[in-house]
Amino acid sequence: MSAKAIREATGKRILNQHLTGTAAEPCRFAAVSESTDWGELVAENPWLRSEKLVVKPDQLIKRRGKLGLIAVNADLSAVRSWVGERMGRDQTVGRATGKLRNFIIEPFVTHKQDEEAYVCIYSHRYADTILFHHEGGVDIGDVDAKATKVDVAVGASITAAEIEEKLLKKLPQLKKKMVATFIEKLYQVYVDLYFTYLEINPLVVTSKSIYILDLAAKIDATADFICRQKWGEIEYPPPFGRDAFPEEAYIADLDAKSGASLKLTILNKSGRIWTMVAGGGASVIYSDTICDLGGAPELANYGEYSGAPTEQQTYEYAKTILSLMTQEKHPKGKVLIIGGGIANFTNVAATFKGIVTALQEFQPKLVEHNISIFVRRAGPNYQEGLRIMREVGQNLGIPLHVFGPETHMTAIVGMALGKKPIPSVTAMEFSTANFLLPGGQNKESPLQSRKSSTSTLAPTTTSRETSGQASGQSGDAPQRKGVLFNKSTKAIVWGLQTRAVQSMLDFDFVCCRTEPSVVAMVYPFTGDHKQKFYWGHKEILIPVYKKMEDAMTKHQNADVLVNFASLRSAYESTVDTMNYPQIRTIAIIAEGIPENLTRKLILMAQEKGVTIIGPATVGGVKPGCFKIGNTGGMMDNILHSKLYRPGSVAYVSRSGGMSNELNNIVSKATNGVLEGVAIGGDRYPGTNFMDHIMRYQADPEVKMIVLLGEVGGVEEYDVCNALSDGRITKPLVAWCIGTCAGMFTSEVQFGHAGSCANSDRETAVAKNKALAEAGAHVPSSFDSLGDLVAEVYESLVQEGVILPAPEVPPPTVPMDYSWARELGLIRKPASFMTSICDERGQELNYAGMPISDVLKQNLGIGGVISLLWFQRCLPPYVCKFFEMCLMVTADHGPAVSGAHNTIVCARAGKDLVSSLVSGLLTIGDRFGGALDGAARQFSEAYDSGLIPMEFVNAMRKKGQLIMGIGHRVKSINNPDMRVKIIKEFVLEHFPSTPLLRYALEVEKITTSKKPNLILNVDGIIANVSFVSILNLSEKRNLEHKTSEHKKLFYNTQDFLMLPIKMEIIQRVKWYRLLASRFK
């Protein structure tokens, strides 16, 4: 949602900070909630004791004075008593009943009735309207009829002189200049701080000052990245009658941190009907259907997830829904509807895996609360997703019914509510992913058999030329006026969206285009290069440019820009694009662009004759010619919906997800889609319904039109007017979703930013009625939309307006390797495998233990080493030993070769990596490298049965040093405390230490010859104690293992390399710092 209401206290705080240079007195107020400490409140606002006060609820309640929800001219004790009587109590406002929990206290402003005025500013598509009336207060009445209005065009400004002339004619002359200046500054704040609505009633205007008494405001929440510093922290309260739940706040926080869309509104926590729907438009339609079937009183929530959320995100979302469902039992049990349309790019299987994990986690509670689940979904990898759902359903112990695109989108609602029978067997689809399965092309579908009288099947083979002729489109044909796309359309894509570009190229290929539609990509964060893509079976290169100018200059035949820029940069990149006259159409995919910026784009586009599709859209499709980005979904849906060749039906929709569902409905009910556009779900789409419907009206190839509108806005009334005055003559099937809105007791903001009715005229019910009265074909519900489309189509066929052509099978498109592997159709040996670490699931695992458990159990560094090296949790004494080793070897001093070389390299001005490598390259037998040798020498001697004296003599005869023996400084008379500490710890805690005792006997022999030939720290840690751990960790002794296993277990160098590397990095940083200071 973009426009969000804020508390009166929040609005007045913002105006206090930014409304300057006027006669307005600063707003003094104190906010009171259930947790308010009155002593602290009075201390912070001492005027509460000394002045008369006004108190009222601050919970988005309209007409508080009429409802008696205001106390005036009261002292502090009376205010406390008044608040205490109402705090936490139920209050009914209209049909909504809620608890009063927030109040605002202000000084009472003594004034006369004729000093009250009214001012309001609100935004619409092309301008901001300022309303002013010289009378205000609770009895103002119909302000729209009484107030004087002035429109300020988007991007323009208004002066105090203009305000005085146009708005303040009935205001006393002495006050005009003061009020005009106030409104001028107020409007500047309104624009600069991205308000969408601001009403002050009454505005008290005395001879010298202005007082803002009651204030109601909405701001554009999508402008948070622009205005956060100016706004400060803002809490968006729920509509009155609906409490704010922590679960809603949790999902809102997930949504804010994700590129996906996650929404949750709790309507009735005790309800038995819960939904988990994918898609903003689909979520509204499911709510409509539930209400149509009488389920409104039991509907527990509204929500949606869309935009390709990750497995972890859908798990968190599903877990939240299930936790709410299982808090209260219902005597009839509960139902969970997991629904959605046909996804464009969301991996259905990936999202379902998150949902399945949550279902398995809640399995006992699902059984306890008698919950039934109904699933309907389609889109990329939906077959695997449905398979996963069916599989888990067999183990949950509850009814779980799963359906795909062969079932109407909302049919599961009737099944869940007991209004429709649940079929035992459903039809199977013939395709998967990017190609038709064997036999899928030849089998006659139910649609074709139903239309056998008017359509015949073509042969199963065809050439690319034949397909091109069948489409009725020539690659070089001139573009008709009003037609956005044809077979020659060329596009530039802003953003490195390789998956979307490949989807466009696959669509081009299956439509038998001779050349790819994408000629270049623009991505400012990399240098100019070429990106590899597939064109059918072949690979091609598409250039990627850093600058828009280069792309436009080198590809002047491109006339479409598909803009995948983020909401923060979409405005700038679109403005940049409109500087090039060759671009005639721009599709803006991003959702959440601030409304002020979108309105500026609309005006700029109109001036330059550019068509904008979006923002917040998946795009559009011209079957047989061109598609925008991910429109139409994966190739299986494109084939099923017959988008590879043109039909006779054109549609326009707000919802991108529902455009795919419309493709499916139209393809089953008619000969297919000729063109389809999703204008976008934001409040101000770049083009509106009429822009596209009038194009369709002018296109002779379009025989009938389908409109899918929704609650909010008034654009559908323009269609009604065009039907009434004869500008639209072609059959129009129309339906507005959101009919359920009137059945809720409190206001609900649906998935799209524009899906909220601000008046009765904006409701879906009123629009559907007006459309029907104007002559449109309006179904009784979305459920019957397909039937009505088929009925109108058949009448056109009977009249000879439409002549169905023989079906032409498309060429097959190879499946990408990555997608085939995702579907489990192929397998390939992994290039790398690990048995100790796995980060492919919901969280990182060390040897099968989730990282959260590693931290909760406080395993420490030693425990982590035991998991990663030994693939299990070792006893605490072993983990303690690991940590002791790291502590006593954390610093070897500056004299050893590795540290010395690192210092020299760092002082020479080399970078961190070069200095580190310099130190590592000098590791050898005298520094670090003795670890392997000592472990091998001692173990082989012990395993072969040599007594310590024989081992020492054998090494002397070979002329080899005994690794792990000897120290430059320490001796038998000056022992190394590190060795002593570790030796005592090992002897005390290790259950068996034969190799350590063997090494100590060797030390007795060597120190008898020379006192400094002691067992050093390398020997005690790596060569003796660590080998003992390896022996203890195995079920069999080392003598039963092969030499290869011995080499593996003796290789302890990596263990001590960790502190050595840490030490070297530390010294690089330290000596580079010294070097910089001594320059």
Side-chain angles (χ1 to χ4, degrees):
M1 179 182 180
S2 54
K4 288 189 176 182
I6 57 177
R7 296 192 191 278
E8 183 174 359
T10 304
K12 289 182 174 178
R13 172 180 61 78
I14 293 175
L15 291 186
N16 280 347
Q17 294 171 345
H18 301 284
L19 183 61
T20 59
T22 74
E25 293 291 333
C27 300
R28 290 184 295 164
F29 61 89
V32 179
S33 66
E34 291 177 304
S35 60
T36 295
D37 184 310
W38 284 89
E40 292 180 3
L41 188 71
V42 172
E44 293 172 1
N45 304 278
W47 50 267
L48 290 171
R49 290 184 182 276
S50 58
E51 299 188 30
K52 291 295 184 178
L53 306 172
V54 175
V55 60
K56 54 198 172 184
D58 191 6
Q59 292 183 225
L60 311 184
I61 300 174
K62 299 177 182 178
R63 293 178 286 277
R64 290 169 292 187
K66 289 279 189 181
L67 295 170
L69 293 176
I70 184 169
V72 299
N73 200 18
D75 58 19
L76 179 60
S77 61
V79 165
R80 288 192 63 174
S81 175
W82 191 89
V83 170
E85 292 172 1
R86 289 160 179 79
M87 182 70 76
R89 302 290 177 86
D90 285 341
Q91 174 70 42
T92 299
V93 178
R95 294 191 302 154
T97 300
K99 294 184 183 299
L100 298 177
R101 292 193 172 97
N102 296 88
F103 296 83
I104 182 172
I105 306 172
E106 299 173 284
F108 175 67
V109 178
T110 303
H111 63 278
K112 301 175 183 177
Q113 180 65 39
D114 61 5
E115 291 177 329
E116 291 187 350
Y118 172 92
V119 65
C120 177
I121 310 173
Y122 64 88
S123 300
H124 45 99
R125 187 176 181 85
Y126 299 112
D128 298 321
T129 297
I130 305 175
L131 286 79
F132 181 82
H133 191 50
H134 64 285
E135 297 174 346
V138 295
D139 297 320
I140 189 172
D142 187 356
V143 69
D144 287 330
K146 292 181 178 181
T148 308
K149 302 178 183 179
V150 62
D151 286 342
V152 184
V154 173
S157 60
I158 188 168
T159 65
E162 292 173 320
I163 292 172
E164 185 175 345
E165 178 187 353
K166 297 178 181 179
L167 286 180
L168 309 182
K169 294 179 180 179
K170 296 184 179 180
L171 200 67
Q173 188 63 37
L174 294 175
K175 298 180 180 180
K176 283 185 177 181
K177 189 172 183 179
M178 178 176 65
V179 174
T181 301
F182 170 79
I183 294 177
E184 179 191 21
K185 299 292 185 182
L186 183 69
Y187 179 69
Q188 290 176 3
V189 172
Y190 178 92
V191 174
D192 293 343
L193 272 65
Y194 287 74
F195 280 85
T196 63
Y197 181 84
L198 180 60
E199 181 187 55
I200 302 172
N201 181 37
L203 178 75
V204 172
V205 183
T206 65
S207 58
K208 295 182 179 179
S209 300
I210 295 175
Y211 298 89
I212 299 172
L213 296 195
D214 282 7
L215 179 144
K218 293 182 180 181
I219 58 174
D220 185 355
T222 60
D224 181 77
F225 70 96
I226 300 173
C227 298
R228 168 62 69 87
Q229 189 172 357
K230 296 178 181 178
W231 287 345
E233 290 297 323
I234 289 184
E235 174 196 1
Y236 298 106
F240 182 74
R242 183 161 52 79
D243 288 335
F245 290 88
E247 291 86 354
E248 293 176 331
Y250 176 67
I251 295 301
D253 184 59
L254 282 181
D255 180 62
K257 297 175 181 176
S258 167
S261 176
L262 301 166
K263 303 290 189 296
L264 175 63
T265 299
I266 299 171
L267 304 172
N268 175 12
K269 199 174 180 181
S270 302
R272 66 178 296 264
I273 306 169
W274 292 77
T275 64
M276 195 185 306
V277 180
S283 60
V284 179
I285 292 172
Y286 273 93
S287 297
D288 284 350
T289 308
I290 291 169
C291 293
D292 288 343
L293 296 177
E298 292 288 356
L299 181 57
N301 72 304
Y302 167 79
E304 59 109 355
Y305 66 94
S306 58
T310 65
E311 179 182 335
Q312 179 65 25
Q313 288 166 345
T314 51
Y315 163 73
E316 295 293 338
Y317 187 83
K319 183 177 70 172
T320 303
I321 297 290
L322 294 176
S323 68
L324 288 164
M325 281 189 76
T326 53
Q327 288 180 13
E328 300 178 24
K329 289 186 178 180
H330 195 282
K332 295 182 179 180
K334 296 183 179 182
V335 295
L336 173 61
I337 297 172
I338 303 176
I342 301 173
N344 286 291
F345 55 89
T346 299
N347 187 331
V348 174
T351 57
F352 272 13
K353 286 177 182 176
I355 295 173
V356 163
T357 302
L359 291 174
Q360 292 172 329
E361 186 177 313
F362 278 81
Q363 189 271 337
K365 289 188 176 181
L366 296 178
V367 175
E368 180 186 350
H369 289 258
N370 190 23
I371 292 174
S372 301
I373 301 176
F374 294 79
V375 180
R376 190 275 186 181
R377 194 72 165 105
N381 207 6
Y382 79 90
Q383 296 93 337
E384 176 65 9
L386 300 186
R387 184 196 65 79
I388 293 170
M389 275 291 184
R390 291 189 180 101
E391 190 174 271
V392 75
Q394 298 173 359
N395 303 319
L396 287 178
I398 61 172
L400 194 154
H401 308 279
V402 182
F403 305 92
E406 72 285 341
T407 302
H408 189 275
M409 190 180 83
T410 54
I412 60 172
V413 176
M415 301 176 198
L417 273 58
K419 307 290 186 179
K420 290 184 179 180
I422 303 172
S424 56
V425 180
T426 58
M428 298 300 293
E429 304 287 359
F430 291 115
S431 69
T432 180
N434 290 48
F435 64 98
L436 291 173
L437 292 178
Q441 288 179 322
N442 299 332
K443 291 206 174 187
E444 187 176 292
S445 70
L447 171 66
Q448 290 163 334
S449 63
R450 183 175 69 84
K451 298 189 175 202
S452 59
S453 61
T454 57
S455 176
T456 57
L457 291 176
T460 57
T461 59
T462 184
S463 67
R464 292 174 65 82
E465 292 77 10
T466 302
S467 181
Q469 293 166 3
S471 71
Q473 299 283 344
S474 170
D476 300 322
Q479 185 161 314
R480 298 187 302 276
K481 183 179 180 180
V483 175
L484 298 181
F485 316 117
N486 61 21
K487 276 210 166 188
S488 301
T489 297
K490 298 295 176 66
I492 294 173
V493 175
W494 199 105
L496 208 59
Q497 293 285 332
T498 55
R499 180 176 174 182
V501 171
Q502 185 61 66
S503 177
M504 293 174 70
L505 297 181
D506 288 342
F507 181 80
D508 295 341
F509 186 81
V510 83
C511 291
C512 301
R513 283 184 59 132
T514 56
E515 292 181 330
S517 61
V518 181
V519 295
M521 302 170 71
V522 177
Y523 194 61
F525 307 107
T526 62
D528 291 358
H529 65 284
K530 293 184 184 295
Q531 194 79 21
K532 186 169 63 174
F533 292 97
Y534 287 106
W535 175 254
H537 299 263
K538 300 177 182 178
E539 289 181 296
I540 61 173
L541 295 174
I542 292 181
V544 182
Y545 299 97
K546 184 179 179 68
K547 296 181 179 179
M548 179 79 74
E549 181 182 5
D550 294 338
M552 295 295 178
T553 302
K554 295 179 181 179
H555 303 278
Q556 296 186 10
N557 59 341
D559 60 353
V560 174
L561 181 99
V562 181
N563 193 347
F564 281 99
S566 71
L567 62 94
R568 290 172 175 81
S569 56
Y571 173 77
E572 288 79 7
S573 56
T574 304
V575 170
D576 187 17
T577 302
M578 283 194 275
N579 290 325
Y580 302 95
Q582 69 190 70
I583 298 297
R584 310 311 307 153
T585 304
I586 301 175
I588 306 174
I589 310 302
E591 178 182 1
I593 300 174
E595 291 178 357
N596 277 358
L597 301 184
T598 302
R599 294 193 300 160
K600 290 178 182 179
L601 290 177
I602 292 170
L603 289 181
M604 192 180 305
Q606 288 182 345
E607 292 172 1
K608 295 179 179 290
V610 174
T611 297
I612 291 181
I613 300 174
T617 183
V618 71
V621 62
K622 185 71 179 291
C625 295
F626 177 80
K627 86 180 184 85
I628 296 171
N630 294 301
T631 307
M634 298 296 291
M635 189 53 63
D636 57 349
N637 187 64
I638 289 170
L639 296 175
H640 273 301
S641 299
K642 298 181 174 58
L643 299 180
Y644 52 85
R645 69 358 172 228
S648 301
V649 183
Y651 70 80
V652 59
S653 164
R654 268 190 174 272
S655 169
M658 287 311 300
S659 69
N660 234 2
E661 199 65 39
L662 284 176
N663 290 331
N664 186 41
I665 291 172
V666 171
S667 68
K668 290 181 177 180
T670 73
N671 66 349
V673 175
L674 181 75
E675 183 177 343
V677 173
I679 62 173
D682 277 1
R683 191 177 177 198
Y684 304 117
T687 47
N688 56 34
F689 294 132
M690 277 297 291
D691 292 329
H692 296 284
I693 289 176
M694 294 313 295
R695 285 196 306 104
Y696 299 156
Q697 173 67 28
D699 189 344
E701 299 294 325
V702 176
K703 305 303 181 184
M704 63 178 286
I705 304 169
V706 176
L707 163 65
L708 188 66
E710 65 180 32
V711 60
V714 294
E715 290 84 0
E716 290 85 351
Y717 291 102
D718 294 333
V719 180
C720 295
N721 295 334
L723 284 166
S724 299
D725 62 27
R727 282 177 290 157
I728 300 175
T729 58
K730 294 179 179 179
L732 173 68
V733 179
W735 178 252
C736 294
I737 65 175
T739 54
C740 62
M743 301 184 187
F744 300 140
T745 56
S746 61
E747 179 185 296
V748 175
Q749 171 63 52
F750 295 110
H752 295 153
S755 299
C756 184
N758 296 312
S759 66
D760 291 340
R761 193 164 182 260
E762 295 187 16
T763 63
V765 173
K767 293 180 184 180
N768 287 329
K769 181 181 179 182
L771 284 164
E773 292 173 350
H777 300 271
V778 179
S780 58
S781 68
F782 181 80
D783 261 359
S784 58
L785 176 64
D787 295 334
L788 184 56
V789 169
E791 182 182 324
V792 174
Y793 172 80
E794 290 294 350
S795 68
L796 293 174
V797 171
Q798 296 299 325
E799 294 169 8
V801 176
I802 297 177
L803 300 175
E807 193 61 69
V808 179
T812 58
V813 178
M815 182 185 294
D816 288 344
Y817 171 81
S818 59
W819 193 248
R821 187 174 182 183
E822 177 98 18
L823 292 171
L825 300 177
I826 59 174
R827 62 186 181 187
K828 175 184 176 293
S831 301
F832 299 94
M833 292 187 68
T834 175
S835 60
I836 60 175
C837 179
D838 188 352
E839 58 180 359
R840 294 170 298 176
Q842 295 182 17
E843 62 176 311
L844 176 66
N845 282 273
Y846 286 165
M849 177 178 285
I851 190 66
S852 57
D853 290 345
V854 172
L855 298 175
K856 287 177 184 177
Q857 297 180 24
N858 198 24
L859 294 184
I861 296 296
V864 170
I865 292 175
S866 74
L867 289 172
L868 296 182
W869 285 38
F870 299 90
Q871 301 181 39
R872 60 182 175 276
C873 285
L874 294 177
Y877 71 86
V878 177
C879 298
K880 177 66 175 176
F881 169 72
F882 291 156
E883 294 175 357
M884 288 176 63
C885 293
L886 292 175
M887 287 187 283
V888 300
T889 59
D891 195 337
H892 286 70
V896 293
S897 59
H900 180 270
N901 272 26
T902 301
I903 294 168
V904 173
C905 194
R907 289 298 302 272
K910 300 297 288 184
D911 58 89
L912 175 63
V913 174
S914 300
S915 303
L916 174 61
V917 170
S918 173
L920 294 177
L921 288 175
T922 55
I923 292 176
D925 288 349
R926 301 298 179 89
F927 176 59
L931 306 176
D932 291 345
R936 186 176 299 106
Q937 289 175 0
F938 277 91
S939 297
E940 288 179 350
Y942 179 80
D943 292 345
S944 62
L946 293 177
I947 63 174
M949 182 60 75
E950 292 174 333
F951 168 55
V952 173
N953 291 337
M955 295 301 293
R956 182 173 56 81
K957 288 180 182 179
K958 294 178 183 179
Q960 295 180 0
L961 297 175
I962 300 176
M963 298 293 100
I965 293 291
H967 199 283
R968 288 184 178 274
V969 179
K970 299 298 180 180
S971 65
I972 192 71
N973 301 314
N974 180 25
D976 188 339
M977 289 304 297
R978 297 178 297 175
V979 175
K980 180 181 179 183
I981 291 169
I982 294 175
K983 179 177 67 176
E984 291 175 352
F985 179 84
V986 171
L987 291 174
E988 179 181 354
H989 294 93
F990 280 38
S992 176
T993 57
L995 198 56
L996 172 58
R997 298 183 185 280
Y998 185 86
L1000 292 175
E1001 292 298 320
V1002 171
E1003 182 188 45
K1004 290 179 182 179
I1005 298 171
T1006 55
T1007 52
S1008 66
K1009 298 181 179 181
K1010 204 170 183 180
N1012 68 330
L1013 294 179
I1014 58 173
L1015 185 65
N1016 58 33
V1017 70
D1018 292 347
I1020 191 69
I1021 292 176
N1023 310 337
V1024 181
S1025 303
F1026 199 81
V1027 173
S1028 298
I1029 293 174
L1030 290 169
N1031 284 329
L1032 293 170
S1033 69
E1034 300 300 318
K1035 293 180 180 179
R1036 296 180 295 173
N1037 291 330
L1038 284 177
E1039 58 262 23
H1040 297 300
K1041 294 189 176 290
T1042 65
S1043 60
E1044 289 298 321
H1045 281 106
K1046 290 184 180 180
K1047 289 179 183 178
L1048 173 65
F1049 292 138
Y1050 296 154
N1051 187 3
T1052 60
Q1053 178 175 339
D1054 282 348
F1055 180 74
L1056 283 187
M1057 281 299 296
L1058 178 60
I1060 293 170
K1061 290 175 183 176
M1062 292 170 60
E1063 174 193 351
I1064 289 176
I1065 293 173
Q1066 172 190 345
R1067 291 188 180 281
V1068 171
K1069 294 179 179 178
W1070 174 248
Y1071 285 103
R1072 283 180 67 84
L1073 177 62
L1074 288 179
S1076 66
R1077 290 184 177 179
F1078 285 105
K1079 283 185 179 178

